[in-house]
Amino acid sequence: KQEVTQIPAALSVPEGENLVLNCSFTDSAIYNLQWFRQDPGKGLTSLLLIQSSQREQTSGRLNASLDKSSGRSTLYIAASQPGDSATYLCAVSDSSYKLIFGSGTRLLVRP
Amino acid sequence: EADIYQTPRYLVIGTGKKITLECSQTMGHDKMYWYQQDPGMELHLIHYSYGVNSTEKGDLSSESTVSRIRTEHFPLTLESARPSHTSQYLCASSPFLSGTGDRGTEAFFGQGTRLTVV
């Protein structure tokens, strides 16, 4: 059974810092890995999608990497801003047709 | 831009009432999902579907039921609401194949329905 873990559970950093969020999964036979952002009480916004054949994806200040063989992904946020404060979730999709989420990392960027 | 809609956004209802949460998408996606999320907690998959007339239970046991009669529509029903059903319900969809034929496809979420049962 696929399990997804995210560390740290919470992170507080001063504005301007570069930071790394981690995601690991137990079964490497995935189709893709997706990073989402969730603001309090809202739905999820897709940030980056990495196909199983890819190593990384970039969008603006965000960079996500995927090491499928070791079951790991990282989300790198450069020059963090207070507006980046949110919960960041990773999810994997595999042949089970499910989309399986980690428990998320709550990020607070202090002005 | 995601075209997936959930209604209502907020619902307060009395115990014992039957309710249906609506989820519709206009992207022609085959796969659809329902998640339950308590405030500040993780998402739990309660139902999913990979096409018309297919529905499966997720990893979290739920007293709700779903149907998939049309590709674009995936409603969730609670026959008799209870206070323990108070939560946020999130719907998502994704296609089987990407435009390049890759099976790693992007999922999109609706804004959610916040349900309170009193």
Side-chain angles (χ1 to χ4, degrees), chain A residues 64-111:
Chain A
S65 67
L66 175 64
D67 184 343
K68 206 173 81 157
S69 61
S70 67
R72 292 179 185 174
S73 175
T74 60
L75 178 67
Y76 176 82
I77 303 177
S80 58
Q81 302 170 358
D84 295 331
S85 298
T87 296
Y88 290 81
L89 296 136
C90 70
V92 298
S93 174
D94 61 19
S95 60
S96 71
Y97 300 123
K98 297 177 183 178
L99 184 62
I100 302 162
F101 279 84
S103 54
T105 294
R106 275 191 292 278
L107 172 65
L108 174 64
V109 181
R110 308 186 304 272

Side-chain angles (χ1 to χ4, degrees), chain B residues 6-27:
Chain B
Q6 290 186 244
T7 58
R9 288 290 310 278
Y10 304 93
L11 179 62
V12 180
I13 200 162
T15 298
K17 298 290 187 183
K18 177 180 178 179
I19 58 171
T20 297
L21 307 185
E22 302 288 348
C23 177
S24 295
Q25 49 95 5
T26 58
M27 299 171 282

Side-chain angles (χ1 to χ4, degrees), chain B residues 23-72:
Chain B
C23 177
S24 295
Q25 49 95 5
T26 58
M27 299 171 282
H29 289 173
D30 294 300
K31 293 188 283 184
M32 296 189 74
Y33 313 85
W34 275 105
Y35 291 86
Q36 184 175 342
Q37 185 183 35
D38 293 327
M41 304 298 284
E42 58 191 281
L43 278 83
H44 293 286
L45 179 66
I46 53 175
H47 298 283
Y48 63 102
S49 166
Y50 47 86
V52 170
N53 293 326
S54 91
T55 60
E56 301 287 343
K57 290 189 180 297
D59 299 322
L60 179 69
S61 175
S62 173
E63 294 166 346
S64 58
T65 58
V66 292
S67 63
R68 191 87 184 276
I69 299 171
R70 302 199 316 264
T71 297
E72 62 271 22

Side-chain angles (χ1 to χ4, degrees), chain A residues 1 31-32 34 36 38 41-44 46 49 51-53 89 93 96-103 106, chain B residues 31 33 35 37 40 42-43 45 48 50 59 88 90 96 98 102-107 109-111 114:
Chain A
K1 178 187 171 187
Y31 289 152
N32 68 13
Q34 198 167 349
F36 294 87
Q38 185 177 32
K42 300 290 178 62
L44 277 69
S46 178
L49 170 74
Q51 312 284 9
S52 61
S53 57
L89 296 136
S93 174
S96 71
Y97 300 123
K98 297 177 183 178
L99 184 62
I100 302 162
F101 279 84
S103 54
R106 275 191 292 278
Chain B
K31 293 188 283 184
Y33 313 85
Y35 291 86
Q37 185 183 35
E42 58 191 281
L43 278 83
L45 179 66
Y48 63 102
Y50 47 86
D59 299 322
Q88 177 164 245
L90 293 162
F96 262 126
S98 69
D102 198 312
R103 299 190 74 173
T105 57
E106 188 171 10
F109 275 77
Q111 285 299 303
R114 185 168 297 282

